Amino acid sequence: LEFDSVLFGSSRRVKDSQTGLGDIILTTGLGWDKGNRHIAFQTSFFLPTGYYEKASVDVPGRQLTALSFGKNRAAILPVVSITNMNPSNGREFSASTGITFSLRNDATDYKTAPEWHAEFAMLQHLKSGMAFGASGYAYYQLGEDSGAGADSLAAATGASSLKARVFGIGPILTYSTKRGDHSISAKFKYSHEFDARRRFEGDALQASIAIGF
């Protein structure tokens, strides 16, 4: 992974790469349909089971250790989402929003403030099962981080605030089909992040596949 970091007013190109398993996420939800509209409420529980390594930065040497697939802290994320799908023209609009409430990271004595998330996607579905469109997201912290780790970071950087934000947008491509009694869906998404404050800003390519049994 190679990306630009925009932290506390600095902009430098640094590199980092990691492999590993992420945190386990347990999700429960409830939803209902009304016409072309589907509304859902769900809650996700993040368990700190993934690979984690404390971050370290050597800016002059352009060396960075910051990528971890786990966050080393438990968290809960309630979400409300809505999807409007018009089968007559194949147009879909989906949006969701939620707030992540995190416990303290014991390795760094750092407690992240509540984090507001919002995502959207606009898609044109084809009869072949393909769909294409655009998706985006916004991330914004609602308060100040706390703990000795947060105090040390603020002192080291001279930052008056650790509240972070970032926005992202890019194209999305999906495909859905069935094989016998099994549903199969795939998603490819590219996101370009911008207007970041006090967090990394980069470009991400995501691919996923789901099989229903």
Side-chain angles (χ1 to χ4, degrees):
L1 175 67
E2 182 174 326
F3 52 88
D4 288 323
S5 66
V6 182
L7 290 174
F8 312 105
S10 65
S11 179
R12 296 177 174 90
R13 182 167 292 275
V14 292
K15 294 182 179 181
D16 186 22
S17 62
Q18 297 286 356
T19 57
L21 297 176
D23 292 337
I24 292 175
I25 304 174
L26 304 177
T27 301
T28 182
L30 176 67
W32 65 90
D33 297 310
K34 184 177 181 180
N36 295 335
R37 188 171 301 161
H38 178 76
I39 302 173
F41 295 91
Q42 67 180 41
T43 302
S44 295
F45 301 89
F46 296 80
L47 307 181
T49 58
Y51 163 81
Y52 175 79
E53 185 176 355
K54 291 172 64 174
S56 63
V57 182
D58 176 11
V59 174
R62 300 293 193 270
Q63 298 297 316
L64 173 71
T65 300
L67 296 179
S68 290
F69 295 94
K71 295 185 179 297
N72 198 45
R73 57 173 168 78
I76 182 171
L77 170 59
V79 173
V80 58
S81 59
I82 183 170
T83 295
N84 192 84
M85 172 65 183
N86 190 333
S88 64
N89 56 25
R91 293 173 186 165
E92 173 191 342
F93 176 78
S94 297
S96 66
T97 186
I99 301 176
T100 301
F101 300 93
S102 302
L103 297 183
R104 188 177 303 272
N105 183 334
D106 293 331
T108 58
D109 191 18
Y110 198 110
K111 188 175 189 299
T112 303
E115 304 161 284
W116 172 73
H117 314 255
E119 295 85 28
F120 79 91
M122 296 180 293
L123 293 164
Q124 176 64 58
H125 290 262
L126 306 177
K127 294 182 180 180
S128 63
M130 298 282 293
F132 62 92
S135 66
Y137 56 86
Y139 166 91
Y140 189 85
Q141 279 189 282
L142 301 179
E144 292 289 346
D145 299 338
S146 60
D151 294 339
S152 298
L153 179 59
T157 58
S160 60
S161 173
L162 296 177
K163 291 174 66 174
R165 77 181 190 203
V166 70
F167 304 92
I169 194 168
I172 183 172
L173 178 68
T174 69
Y175 177 70
S176 300
T177 188
K178 290 196 69 172
R179 292 292 185 269
D181 296 329
H182 306 301
S183 61
I184 302 174
S185 61
K187 179 172 66 175
F188 303 91
K189 182 170 67 171
Y190 170 79
S191 298
H192 171 69
E193 293 184 323
F194 61 95
D195 201 22
R197 293 292 183 272
R198 290 173 283 276
R199 65 169 288 158
F200 292 114
E201 180 179 288
D203 298 277
L205 179 63
Q206 298 174 299
S208 64
I209 185 169
I211 302 176
F213 295 93

